[in-house]
Amino acid sequence: AKELFDLFMQHCVLHVALVDPEWHSYTRVSSECPFLFACVVYIASSFHHERFTWQEELRGEMNELIGKVVSSGDKSVSIVQGFLFLYFFNQPPLDAAKDTAWLYSGIAIRIASELNLGSTNKQLKESPRQRIDRERTWMMIFVVDRSLSATR
């Protein structure tokens, strides 16, 4: 899993300015953000040079985890980030009716709204890095929402 996590942080994260590779370390993400960790490993599995079948092998488990996260009602910045990564790195199927990108973005937008990520609440007890992480995630939610609205 560490190899895939590192692959993602070295190559994939450059295309989506959502996380800070220094703060979102393997140790921190794997212990504190299990859904984000699973999303990162799942996405990176499709880019592994030696074993291209990993993502297909992990797809069932990832879909099950997505269902558990949604049905549990858990909400956090890292869950929003995980769904955003699933949206950005979604590989559309041949049948457009089975495309899940809209679903992932919708869940991310909904959770971000429920967490009120766009607020500048001074009462929140968070570190400067947590604040930046929350703000960066909210900005990306805004970009996704606007880009999807423009395509309608």
Side-chain angles (χ1 to χ4, degrees):
K2 181 159 183 1
E3 179 184 359
L4 292 172
F5 185 88
D6 291 343
L7 175 72
F8 185 88
M9 289 299 176
Q10 291 168 4
H11 300 286
C12 300
V13 81
L14 302 170
H15 303 287
V16 181
L18 184 57
V19 296
D20 177 358
E22 287 183 27
W23 193 51
H24 290 87
S25 66
Y26 175 83
T27 304
R28 184 181 163 281
V29 174
S30 64
S31 64
E32 297 178 20
C33 317
F35 181 69
L36 177 58
F37 181 75
C39 292
V40 165
V41 168
Y42 174 71
I43 292 163
S45 68
S46 69
F47 297 104
H48 196 274
H49 295 292
E50 296 172 15
R51 193 164 169 197
F52 292 107
T53 60
W54 264 355
Q55 189 170 56
E56 192 57 42
E57 293 169 22
L58 296 173
R59 187 176 317 276
E61 290 179 50
M62 192 66 216
N63 287 337
E64 189 176 315
L65 181 58
I66 290 167
K68 286 180 182 177
V69 167
V70 171
S71 65
S72 73
D74 291 342
K75 296 171 183 69
S76 69
V77 173
S78 64
I79 289 175
V80 174
Q81 291 169 336
F83 278 111
L84 283 173
F85 279 136
L86 290 172
Y87 165 75
F88 283 116
F89 291 97
N90 182 53
Q91 295 180 0
L94 296 175
D95 181 5
K98 295 180 180 179
D99 191 2
T100 55
W102 287 82
L103 177 66
Y104 298 147
S105 63
I107 293 169
I109 292 167
R110 175 64 185 218
I111 295 172
S113 296
E114 289 181 18
L115 290 172
N116 203 17
L117 292 186
S119 76
T120 54
N121 186 350
K122 304 284 187 204
Q123 305 298 324
L124 289 174
K125 294 179 182 175
E126 59 186 6
S127 71
R129 283 221 168 177
Q130 288 172 314
R131 182 184 52 76
I132 291 168
D133 196 39
R134 181 176 48 80
E135 290 173 353
R136 183 187 305 119
T137 303
W138 179 252
M139 284 188 251
M140 194 58 69
I141 285 290
F142 178 80
V143 168
V144 168
D145 184 48
R146 294 297 100 200
S147 67
L148 290 175
S149 296
T151 62
R152 292 182 187 177

